[in-house]
Amino acid sequence: FSDIVGFTDISGTLLPEEVCDMLDRLYVKLDDLADKYEMFKVETIGDAYMAGINRVAKCVPHYLLR
């Protein structure tokens, strides 16, 4: 889960286009990381980004690997 601290204050000093550009650049990078680490993107709402790890692949318990 990510959340931009001070987003309301930051966005209040920027033009709407600048806010959209800032969020777009951030979420493109987070999407790239989600793809790289096989994370499942759950939702993006405003300045919040939520993803889950290992929601697709079956997890083998560590004690079975011994």
Side-chain angles (χ1 to χ4, degrees):
F1 182 81
S2 76
D3 187 50
I4 301 172
V5 176
F7 177 75
T8 302
D9 292 335
I10 293 168
S11 63
T13 65
L14 301 173
L15 295 171
E17 295 84 6
E18 294 172 315
V19 174
C20 288
D21 182 58
M22 175 186 68
L23 291 175
D24 184 59
R25 288 183 288 119
L26 174 65
Y27 294 145
V28 164
K29 290 183 186 291
L30 290 174
D31 286 342
D32 289 344
L33 287 171
D35 289 341
K36 179 178 178 180
Y37 293 105
E38 299 180 354
M39 298 168 58
F40 174 72
K41 179 180 172 183
V42 177
E43 190 70 49
T44 303
I45 301 173
D47 67 319
Y49 185 101
M50 187 182 306
I53 294 180
N54 200 21
R55 299 295 301 163
V56 178
K58 184 171 180 163
C59 185
V60 177
H62 66 86
Y63 61 84
L64 293 178
L65 300 175
R66 292 182 189 171

